[in-house]
């Protein structure tokens, strides 16, 4: 298709807009509300053009380019109208700095106070220099604003986690609303009010948390102004380096860009182009990386327990001390705790270290153990994972999958399928953002699991079960998984198991056959002399081992370690992981390791070398990778023999709530994410009873009130957290010790206000 | 005999039984205008009067006949006699009216305003010969004020559904041709040829198509659609069926503002009756044509009258316009081809189908055939709902039908907030889409607001713009921000703080808003300002340069003072003044302290009506006085 733009004949594919056609041919038309990922809007009115044969001034972003069209993007009248419209936009946006004579000097020398609580101009705006509006003002070339400035004087909204909202800066381009509704299919954001009072936010003055926001940050990514500001990097300034890497927080290992400034991670963004994970991060990938990477508990150097206290030591000395502690310890006297967050390279070297140097195969992981006895069959199902199955099935059944704050790319694919008419069924306790598109929603089956699942897929030809981590924790998890496994074995259905850890697949593939199940048993095993921990131990009494070596990016729990070795954290070392469909994903180094920290494989290699080995002299991660087998097959963790304990079918009348418990499996190197990232604790707090807001109101409780949970003879007290994600009658408790105090999971309980 | 003929026969029997001269009928206008004027209280007193005198009459509640200024209206028809009409009936009159008719056998001469008899009656004018009605041509409003709007049979007996019945005998394409030949243009305001719109929609690809009746009438001072639905809902619903048949739609919606509860109730009743008689649902009137209608109540946003915003609202989204093209006839409700017609357009269709295009072209002009309803309001003697052939000069509408203004005429606003204020020199403009547009206004949906010298046109421009500014959806910059700046400039001018360069600013802003706004709301919002700037520039200049408001409306420009010769010192104003600005001992001329005066008008009112001498307090404008 050919059309003429500003007297030049340009080529454009069918169906593009004039704006796209112009941009592809190098003609810049200013615009603020348009965005390549979003449907045309036509709100800002800056991209007005003249089209021969059309009345008035159509907007380039909403007008389809047509064969033979003649478009003019710059005429005297268009230029004048654009300047007027831009002035109108700026009259609602504190932008006096744009017109200030000292703007440049001010930016360079910061003669004004920067960390102001209220944005009064560009120099006090967190987005200064990264603002589409500033760019447009420059390209249009505005020198003055002929209109008075309206300041909306709306208090800055700071109550929700992760980002602040200063709607005094909003130009109402609607990008955030559209990405929330169109791309994320969430709908938390909408326009409110009308006329001069028009603003943006959840309806009925709810907080974002109450409105079901996933805190995916998509709105921030597209905001052309400083209205939406990431709490974590509001004042960090523009990044000086951007590294394409992978998210460290679950088995999807979504592509993301790590933003760094002065060798410090300041944030993450979705990748520019999208595949499955493109632009679709969840709250963990979007906001949690910098907070976890820069956590105060990060280790900057080694330390050793000495008589009378703990002593910081140089790395070389720490390596020697480690070698000394390990000398003469062999076989069953040595045990190693691995983390499913370690890269394949780290795991490979750790495996070699344990087996070849220490002659021990006592390997375990508390993070894997926390997933419960059903993790074996879960991984067995996961061995058949294929992401493409989502698009190829005619019925998707999600079991135990909570898509609120994780696995967003999967959720978005499922929702896209459901929206185009695919049958989607949910089974689980949580009302997540996909619920509104589900044909049916069911609670977790308490008995007759196989028949129940069979019934759901009765009319489907190519059903797909999507198993979330929450499927692992009910007492009958193994029965549910056995039923799914039977479907997949017989070819009746496919399954996709969502792995909650970064490299759980890699851990199982490399070391699954030797992994011991009872990691916590190692803590009390008197036969072990040295316990080498690559993940944080749970707090509590010191392990029975004579010596404990702690190697992690994070400080160990108090007094549990004899030697502390600082490992590189996320984004600080290159490596490879296996994503949940068995494909390798590359993790790149964005910044240098903190302090004297080293990649885990480097520390282990150094210790091996110090112990006299000569075959641990890897130059880099790539060399380790070359030593590893070229492909990986999953090794079963454990044979499928589950004892199922089915709790009573319906909650009795005096115990009207059904309490589901699960561990805080969102973790990194053994540290729960809600302990690392305060904002994440607002979303999924540990040790709180999450309850439907209506139920909470009926009980007369509000956020933080203590309630007494009674089940049969057992009782315990917890604070409550009303959450719109809970259906009436359902409670969820995230608790580190899932077996604690209640006879079954889920468990019928009664709730009383204390 | 077909289903329809049977239904029609039954309907005519019922109608004749009522009006054939065997029963006494008391007709009561109980549309919203009647109710607001007290019709329900009048009904109660009539019932009491009938009971008291032991006479029987059927009380028939009808819609508004058009002379809203005469509400509440009560008509009395005795067996064999003509129907006599009473206006502004107070409950206290009921007994005398009933006694006069039923006991004395003659109308109450002192109160009767007209009769509907075929022959002349001495001393009582024919109702339709009254000056307000003589120039009118009633097509759409034909049944309003005559039939019980809640009775389907009344409608059918008076021609209802005959147009549909005729249409169903033709291929849909012929129905469209008929409407095209009639030259009917959209009565919502833009005047797009209805037939052509249908043609586009019928040619658009898609199995599922929709008809939407736009009853989101929101212009201040406009009530044509409400009156029509309240007076003859079946005309509108029949029009929807015809439109649905013509374009191949099987589903329709009435998008009506929730502020019209009576109209909504009557639509719902009408639809239930239609369904019972096979006029709605599967196989209408035994034909293969199936059609169903849903009612969607608007939540009170003016912009939802804009068709793309209306569609968004029906779909459950925020009522916010989008750019056209694609037009709704291509991609409308749920992305499917959709025809959106105004209430009056739909109400006209049955008449065109029944009587033919040539008949319809017999009214109006070549380019603007047919009739148009207007709600005639403002500073005019006879307010109400009128229907005139297009091409009638504004002067005839305002002075003959409306009876003119009490004080000298100043301006007429056509087309609501999107229209313009026209001055006296435009009074001979024939009413038509092009002629009004040429004058800088628009036809609009039919609001005609007449202003006399008591109305300040600058204030009117401010009022309309403020309305638009508050109703802007906020989506596009010029409409949201531009109108706001315009309102503030106008507020400065009416507040006595205007500067001459404000007029240039206004003009520039008006052009920007007009040329760059997304939808019709913004594109036409500056019209009241542009027309008043063009035709009443001297008033703007008076406000700015002389701080003078000739209409004595703009409060900051006013000054209150006491005429010493007239003041008797009765102290009524002293008591009324909320700020203590007026002082003075009894029986001496009072003193008004301008620095304390907040211009609340309390003293002025009390002096005019209650003070001993009266009119001793005057309001004037103009700083020099």
């Amino acid at each position: 298709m050919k059309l003429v733009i500003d007297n030049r004949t340009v080529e454009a594919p069918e169906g593009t807009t004039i704006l796209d056609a112009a941009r592809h041919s190098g003609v810049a038309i200013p615009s603020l509300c348009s965005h390549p990922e979003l449907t045309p809007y036509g709100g800002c009115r800056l991209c007005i053009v003249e089209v021969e044969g059309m009345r008035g001034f159509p907007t380039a972003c909403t007008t389809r380019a047509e064969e033979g069209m003649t478009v003019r993007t710059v005429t005297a009248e268009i230029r004048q109208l654009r300047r007027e419209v831009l002035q109108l936009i700026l009259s609602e946006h504190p932008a006096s700095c744009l017109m200030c004579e000292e703007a440049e000097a001010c930016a360079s020398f910061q003669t004004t106070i920067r960390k102001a609580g209220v944005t009064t101009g560009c120099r006090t705006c967190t987005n200064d220099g990264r603002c589409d509006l500033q760019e447009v003002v420059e390209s249009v070339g505005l020198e003055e604003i002929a209109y008075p400035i309206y300041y909306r004087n709306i208090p800055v909204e700071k109550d929700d986690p992760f980002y602040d909202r200063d709607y005094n800066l909003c130009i109402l381009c609607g990008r955030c609303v559209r990405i929330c509704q169109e791309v994320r299919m969430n709908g938390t954001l909408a326009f409110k009010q009308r006329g001069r009072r028009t603003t943006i936010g959840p309806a009925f003055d709810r907080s974002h948390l109450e409105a079901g926001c996933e805190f995916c940050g998509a709105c921030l990514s597209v905001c052309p102004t400083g209205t939406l500001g990431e709490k974590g990097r509001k004042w960090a300034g523009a990044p000086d380096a951007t590294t394409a890497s992978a998210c460290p927080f679950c088995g999807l290992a979504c592509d993301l860009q790590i933003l760094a400034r002065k060798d410090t991670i300041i944030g993450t963004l979705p990748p520019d182009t999208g595949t499955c994970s493109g632009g679709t991060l969840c709250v963990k990938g979007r906001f949690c990386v910098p907070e976890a990477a820069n956590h105060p508990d990060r280790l900057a150097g080694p330390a050793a327990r000495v008589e009378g206290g703990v002593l910081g030591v140089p790395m070389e000395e720490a390596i020697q001390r480690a070698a000394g502690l390990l000398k003469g310890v062999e076989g069953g006297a040595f045990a190693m705790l691995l983390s499913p967050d370690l890269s394949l390279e780290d795991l490979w070297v750790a495996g070699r270290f344990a087996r070849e140097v220490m002659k021990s195969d006592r390997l375990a992981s508390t993070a894997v153990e926390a997933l419960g006895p059903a993790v074996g069959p879960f991984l067995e199902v996961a061995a058949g994972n294929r992401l493409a199955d989502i698009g190829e099935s005619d019925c998707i059944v999600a079991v135990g999958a909570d898509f609120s704050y994780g696995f967003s790319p999967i959720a978005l694919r499922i929702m896209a399928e459901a929206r185009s008419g695919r049958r989607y069924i949910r089974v689980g306790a949580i009302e997540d953002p996909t619920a509104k598109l589900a044909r049916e929603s069911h609670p977790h089956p308490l008995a007759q699991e196989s028949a129940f699942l069979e019934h759901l897929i009765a009319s489907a030809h190519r059903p797909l079960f999507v198993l979330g981590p929450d499927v692992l924790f009910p007492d009958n998890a193994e029965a549910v998984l056995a039923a799914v496994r039977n479907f997949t074995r017989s070819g009746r259905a496919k399954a996709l198991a969502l792995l909650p850890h970064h490299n759980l697949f890699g851990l199982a593939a490399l070391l699954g056959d030797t992994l011991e199940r009872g990691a916590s048993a190692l803590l009390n095993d008197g036969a072990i002399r040295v316990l080498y921990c690559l993940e944080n131990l749970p707090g509590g009494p010191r392990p029975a081992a004579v010596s404990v070596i702690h190697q992690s990016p994070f400080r160990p729990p108090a007094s549990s370690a004899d030697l502390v070795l600082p490992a590189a954290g996320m984004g600080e070392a290159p490596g490879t992981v296996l994503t949940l469909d068995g494909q390798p994903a590359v993790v790149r180094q964005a910044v240098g390791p903190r302090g004297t920290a080293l990649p885990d494989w480097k520390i282990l290699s150094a210790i091996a070398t110090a112990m006299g080995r000569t075959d641990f002299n890897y130059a880099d991660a790539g060399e380790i990778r070359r030593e590893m087998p070229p492909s990986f097959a999953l090794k079963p963790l454990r044979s499928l023999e589950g004892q199922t304990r089915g709790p009573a079918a319906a909650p009795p009348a005096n115990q009207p709530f059904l309490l589901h418990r699960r561990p805080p499996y969102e973790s990194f190197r053994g540290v729960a994410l809600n302990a690392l990232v305060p904002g994440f604790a607002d979303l999924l707090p540990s040790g709180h009873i999450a309850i439907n807001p209506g139920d909470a109101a009926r009980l007369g409780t509000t956020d933080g009130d203590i309630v007494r949970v009674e089940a049969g003879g057992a009782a315990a007290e917890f604070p409550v957290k009303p959450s719109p994600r809970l259906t009436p009658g359902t409670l969820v408790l995230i608790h580190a010790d899932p077996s604690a105090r209640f006879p079954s999971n889920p468990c019928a309980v009664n709730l009383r206000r204390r | 005999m077909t289903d329809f003929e049977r239904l029609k026969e039954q309907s005519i029997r019922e109608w004749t039984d009522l009006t054939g001269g065997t029963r006494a009928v008391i007709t009561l206008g109980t549309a919203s205008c009647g109710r607001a004027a007290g019709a329900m209280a009048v009904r109660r007193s009539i019932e009491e009067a009938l009971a008291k005198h032991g006479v029987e009459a059927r009380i028939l509640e009808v819609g508004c006949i058009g002379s809203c200024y005469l509400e509440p209206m009560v008509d009395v028809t005795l067996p064999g006699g003509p129907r006599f009409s009473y206006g502004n009936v107070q409950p206290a009159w009921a007994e005398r009216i009933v006694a006069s008719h039923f006991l004395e056998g003659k109308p109450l001469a002192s109160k009767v305003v007209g009769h509907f008899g075929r022959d002349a009656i001495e001393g009582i004018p024919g109702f339709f010969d009254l000056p307000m009605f003589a120039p009118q041509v009633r097509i759409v409003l034909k049944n309003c004020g005559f039939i019980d709007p809640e009775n389907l049979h009344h409608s059918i007996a008076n021609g209802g559904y005959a147009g549909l019945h005729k249409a169903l005998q033709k291929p849909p394409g012929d129905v469209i041709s008929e409407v095209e030949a009639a030259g009917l243009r959209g009565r919502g305001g833009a005047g797009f040829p209805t037939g052509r719109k249908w043609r586009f929609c019928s040619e658009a690809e898609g199995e599922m198509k929709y008809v939407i009746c736009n009853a989101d009438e929101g212009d201040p001072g406009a009530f044509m659609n409400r009156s029509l639905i309240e007076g003859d809902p079946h005309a509108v619903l029949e029009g929807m069926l015809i439109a649905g048949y013509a374009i191949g739609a099987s589903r329709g919606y009435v998008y009506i503002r929730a502020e019209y509860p009576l109209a909504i109730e009557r639509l719902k009743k009408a639809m239930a009756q239609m369904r019972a008689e096979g006029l709605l649902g599967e196989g209408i009137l035994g034909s293969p044509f199936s059609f169903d209608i849903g009612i969607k109540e608007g939540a009170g946003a003016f912009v939802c009258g804009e068709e793309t915003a209306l569609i968004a609202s029906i779909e459950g989204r925020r009522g916010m316009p989008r750019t056209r093209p694609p037009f709704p006839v291509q991609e409308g409700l749920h992305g499917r081809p959709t025809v959106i017609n105004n209430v009056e357009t739909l109400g006209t269709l049955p008449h065109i189908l029944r009587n033919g295009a040539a008949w319809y072209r017999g009214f109006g002009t070549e380019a603007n055939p047919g009739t148009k309803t207007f709600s005639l309001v403002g500073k005019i003697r006879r307010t109400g709902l009128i229907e005139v052939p297009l091409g009638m000069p504004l002067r005839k509408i305002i002075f003959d039908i409306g009876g003119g203004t009490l004080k000298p005429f100043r301006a007429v606003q056509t087309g609501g907030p999107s229209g313009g204020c026209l001055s006296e020199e435009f009074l001979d403009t024939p009413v038509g889409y092009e002629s009004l547009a040429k004058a800088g206004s628009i036809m609009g949906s039919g609001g005609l607001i007449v202003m006399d010298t008591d109305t300040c046109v600058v204030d009117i421009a401010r009022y309309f713009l403020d309305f638009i500014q508050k109703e802007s959806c906020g989506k596009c910059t010029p409409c949201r921000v531009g109108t706001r700046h315009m309102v503030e400039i106008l507020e400065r001018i009416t507040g006595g703080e205007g500067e001459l360069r404000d007029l240039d600013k206004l003009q520039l802003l008006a052009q920007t808003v007009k040329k760059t706004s997304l939808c019709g709301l913004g594109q036409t919002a500056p019209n009241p300002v542009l027309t008043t700037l063009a035709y009443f520039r001297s008033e703007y200049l008076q406000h700015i340069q002389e701080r003078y408001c000739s209409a004595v409306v703009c409060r900051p420009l006013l000054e209150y003072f006491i005429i010493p010769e007239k003041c008797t010192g009765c102290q009524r104003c002293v008591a009324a003044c909320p700020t203590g600005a007026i002082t003075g001992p009894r029986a001496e001329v009072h003193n008004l302290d301008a620095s304390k005066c907040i211009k609340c008008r309390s003293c002025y009112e009390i002096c005019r009506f209650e003070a001993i001498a009266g009119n001793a307090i005057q309001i004037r404008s103009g700083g020099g006085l």
Side-chain angles (χ1 to χ4, degrees), chain A residues 662-665 672 674-675 680-689 718-719 733-736:
Chain A
R662 70 154 173 99
Y665 54 73
N674 56 21
F680 198 74
D682 288 347
L683 309 181
L684 293 174
S686 269
H688 282 66
I689 293 281
F718 297 96
L733 173 63
I734 299 177
H735 202 265

Side-chain angles (χ1 to χ4, degrees), chain B residues 302-330:
Chain B
F302 180 69
V303 74
C304 285
E306 198 281 341
E307 55 183 15
T308 56
L310 186 153
I311 287 172
S313 177
I314 293 183
E315 288 173 351
R317 294 183 286 122
R318 183 175 193 256
M320 205 157 62
R322 62 158 172 80
T323 337
R324 301 173 304 179
F327 289 93
V329 288
Q330 304 160 303

Side-chain angles (χ1 to χ4, degrees), chain B residues 40-55:
Chain B
M40 296 326 269
V42 171
R43 183 186 167 124
R44 277 190 297 276
S45 56
I46 287 173
E47 282 167 341
E48 283 164 18
L50 289 172
K52 185 180 167 194
H53 295 293
V55 289

Side-chain angles (χ1 to χ4, degrees), chain A residues 40-45 48 54-57 59 62-64 77 80-82 84-89 91-92 146-152 170-173 190-199, chain B residues 299-302 318 320-326 331 466 468-478 480-482 484-489 491-492 505 508-509 511-513 515-519 523:
Chain A
Y41 185 65
C44 75
R45 312 308 288 174
I48 46 169
M54 286 182 87
R55 259 193 317 164
F57 300 92
T59 39
T62 58
T63 312
R64 273 175 222 162
E77 187 169 21
Q80 191 233 332
L81 288 173
R82 244 178 227 155
E84 281 294 308
V85 170
L86 188 56
Q87 288 185 54
L88 294 179
I89 292 174
S91 75
E92 277 192 332
Y147 300 108
I149 306 295
Y150 298 124
Y151 188 71
R152 295 197 184 96
C170 179
I171 57 166
L172 294 161
C173 69
F191 287 93
K192 298 191 294 188
Q193 309 292 344
R194 60 187 121 172
R196 70 172 68 173
R197 281 194 250 288
T198 312
T199 180
Chain B
F302 180 69
R318 183 175 193 256
M320 205 157 62
R322 62 158 172 80
T323 337
R324 301 173 304 179
E331 288 175 33
D466 187 51
I468 287 290
Q469 185 261 124
K470 284 177 178 149
E471 287 296 335
S472 164
C473 75
K475 177 174 178 175
C476 79
T477 313
R480 180 186 71 243
V481 197
R484 183 174 178 187
H485 285 293
M486 289 174 76
V487 169
E488 291 209 350
I489 293 175
E491 280 173 352
R492 270 211 304 278
K505 270 192 189 171
L508 180 65
L509 270 168
Q511 289 302 336
T512 305
V513 174
K515 286 176 182 167
T516 61
S517 285
L518 190 154
C519 80
Q523 287 161 7

